Amino acid sequence: MDGQKMVRREDGAGGKYMGDFLKKLIIPRFDGSAGEIKLSDMDDSSDFGDYAFTTDTYVVTPPVFPGGSIGKLAICGTANDLAVIGAEPRIMSMSLIIQEGFPLGTLERILDDMERWVKELDVSVITGDTKVVEADIGIAINTSGIGVRNEHLEHNLRVVREYRGRRENQEYPWKWVRDCGAAENEAVIVTGRVAEHGVAVLNAREGIDFDIEVESDAYPVWLFLKDALDTGGITAMKDATRGGIANALNEISEKSRVGMLIEESQIPISDEVRGFCDVLGLDPLSIANEGKVVMTVVSDVADDVLKALRKSGQKHAEIIGYTTSEFTEVVVETAIGTRKVLPPPVADPVPRVC
C-alpha cells in the first residue's frame, strides 16, 4: 500500500516487539491512572481506590483444546491478571465476537466452561455484548474484571514491610503486589511446570503427530495464591502468559532493577514438554502458560511460601533462583555449570494461544 508500514502479528504477541509497539503508539496517547498503577507501568492490572481493574481479549486457535477452551481461558486469564497484584476477583464483563456459521455445539461447550469457572471463582458476570460477523475469526472473547483488596493481600504486605524494614533503603511503598517490587537477595519461585498451555494448543492446532498427553494448565491462580499470600513475603508476581517465564522473569528484573540467577535444573518442565520442544526447536521458557505464576519472595520465608503453594495443590512449584545485585540481567546457570543470559523474547514463538 504505497510503502505504508503495516501492523505485524508480532506487535500483539507479547515480548519486545509488542512492548515497543505500545510505547510508540499507545502509551503516549493514553497514559493515565486512577490510582498508583499507571497505564505506562504496563502491569497486569491497574487500580482505583480499593479496587483493581483489567481487560483482555482472547483469540485462541483452536477454540477447544486439551484441558480447556477459549471460554475457560478468558475467565481464568482475566482473574489471573487481578490475582497477581493481590486482588481478589469479584466482577466480570463478557463480550463475544462470533463468526457467522460457528458451530452452536462448540459455542455451548465454551459457554459451559465459562459458567463453571465463574462459579469456581465465585465472581459475577454483570454486563457484556455479543456480535456475529462475517469475518473469518471463529470466535474472540473479551473479558474485563474487577478485583478488591482483601485480608490475604494485607497480611502479605505486612510481612513484606516487616522484613524490608530490617534492611536499609528497602521500603515497600505500594499497596498492591507490584511487578517492580523485587529487591536483591530474594527467592524466585515458579508455581508449577511450564509451557504446558502453549504446547497443548500447538499440538492440537497443527495436527503434529506427537503422542503426548499434555493438557493446558489454564487455571484461576487466585485459588492457590491466597494461601501463599497468607504466609506472606511475596514482593512481585507475574502471570507467565505470552513470552512464558522468560518474559515474566525479565519484566520483574527490568522493572525492579535487579538481576536474577536462575538454576536451569530447578525449572519444572515435564519430559513430554521438553521432548516436544526439543524436536521442534522451541524454548519452553518462552512458551505461554495460563495457570502459572513467577514470583519473588523474601528469602527468610521462601520455603514457607513454597510449602503453602504445594499444600494448595501446586505440587511442582519450585524455588528456581535468587535475585542479585551482581548483574542486571536474568542469567541462567546451566546443568554443566556455565552461565548464559536469558533475554526477553522478541515475540511469542507460538502465536494465537491466548
Side-chain angles (χ1 to χ4, degrees):
M1 297 179 63
D2 300 326
Q4 182 178 351
K5 291 183 178 181
M6 311 294 285
V7 176
R8 305 166 300 177
R9 183 178 65 187
E10 292 85 357
D11 293 328
K16 182 181 183 301
Y17 285 155
M18 187 171 119
D20 292 344
F21 180 85
L22 296 176
K23 291 172 185 176
K24 180 179 179 180
L25 294 177
I26 308 298
I27 301 300
R29 288 176 167 87
F30 302 109
D31 191 22
S33 67
E36 76 174 30
I37 307 173
K38 299 183 295 183
L39 179 64
S40 56
D41 291 334
M42 294 196 291
D43 216 323
D44 289 288
S45 299
S46 192
D47 67 318
F48 58 102
D50 288 334
Y51 301 91
F53 177 72
T54 192
T55 190
D56 211 337
T57 302
Y58 298 85
V59 288
V60 186
T61 306
V64 177
F65 43 81
S69 70
I70 191 173
K72 178 182 180 182
L73 189 60
I75 298 302
C76 294
T78 294
N80 292 351
D81 282 346
L82 297 168
V84 292
I85 71 165
E88 180 179 1
R90 286 283 182 83
I91 297 170
M92 289 190 185
S93 70
M94 177 183 72
S95 292
L96 308 175
I97 304 174
I98 310 167
Q99 179 181 334
E100 183 181 16
F102 190 80
L104 187 58
T106 303
L107 178 60
E108 289 179 336
R109 159 68 194 276
I110 291 166
L111 294 175
D112 285 346
D113 276 353
M114 298 184 83
E115 180 184 23
R116 175 191 169 183
W117 292 101
V118 161
K119 289 179 178 178
E120 290 278 352
L121 280 160
D122 193 24
V123 301
S124 298
V125 176
I126 64 169
T127 190
D129 182 52
T130 301
K131 296 289 191 301
V132 177
V133 298
E134 295 179 1
D136 183 19
I137 64 165
I139 184 171
I141 301 178
N142 174 273
T143 40
S144 298
I146 294 176
V148 299
R149 299 190 65 76
N150 53 84
E151 67 274 13
H152 312 286
L153 169 63
E154 298 293 359
H155 174 77
N156 179 76
L157 293 177
R158 284 195 297 271
V159 173
V160 170
R161 289 170 182 149
E162 176 187 348
Y163 282 96
R164 286 283 177 90
R166 301 173 188 176
R167 299 182 179 183
E168 186 177 356
N169 299 321
Q170 282 201 4
E171 297 179 351
Y172 201 89
W174 305 286
K175 67 175 188 177
W176 305 94
V177 178
R178 299 292 304 278
D179 59 8
C180 60
E184 63 178 307
N185 299 320
E186 294 182 341
V188 181
I189 293 177
V190 63
T191 61
R193 296 193 299 203
V194 304
E196 293 178 338
H197 173 73
V199 166
V201 174
L202 180 62
N203 196 41
R205 180 169 72 214
E206 304 299 337
I208 303 170
D209 190 20
F210 271 83
D211 185 18
I212 58 175
E213 297 181 359
V214 177
E215 294 190 347
S216 167
D217 66 345
Y219 187 78
V221 300
W222 176 252
L223 299 183
F224 61 78
L225 279 185
K226 60 185 178 180
D227 296 323
L229 292 167
D230 281 343
T231 299
I234 300 170
T235 59
M237 290 193 283
K238 291 295 294 185
D239 180 21
T241 55
R242 287 177 293 182
I245 68 167
N247 195 58
L249 291 167
N250 274 279
E251 280 201 53
I252 294 174
S253 172
E254 180 181 353
K255 292 181 180 181
S256 303
R257 299 181 181 180
V258 295
M260 291 183 180
L261 181 60
I262 304 300
E263 295 180 46
E264 186 176 49
S265 61
Q266 293 300 112
I267 300 172
I269 307 173
S270 74
D271 291 339
E272 288 183 307
V273 165
R274 191 184 301 278
F276 182 94
C277 291
D278 285 347
V279 170
L280 296 183
L282 298 171
D283 178 8
L285 306 189
S286 297
I287 295 179
N289 311 268
E290 288 295 340
K292 301 299 188 302
V293 176
V294 172
M295 63 176 68
T296 56
V297 182
V298 172
S299 295
D300 290 355
V301 294
D303 287 336
D304 294 331
V305 170
L306 186 63
K307 289 176 184 177
L309 288 167
R310 289 177 174 173
K311 187 176 181 180
S312 297
Q314 307 312 296
K315 61 182 180 179
H316 298 294
E318 291 287 352
I319 296 174
I320 63 171
Y322 291 88
T323 57
T324 178
S325 59
E326 182 182 347
F327 38 78
T328 58
E329 303 92 348
V330 178
V331 174
V332 174
E333 186 163 83
T334 68
I336 61 173
T338 60
R339 291 185 177 185
K340 60 182 181 181
V341 173
L342 177 66
V346 294
D348 192 340
V350 184
R352 304 190 316 281
V353 297
C354 56

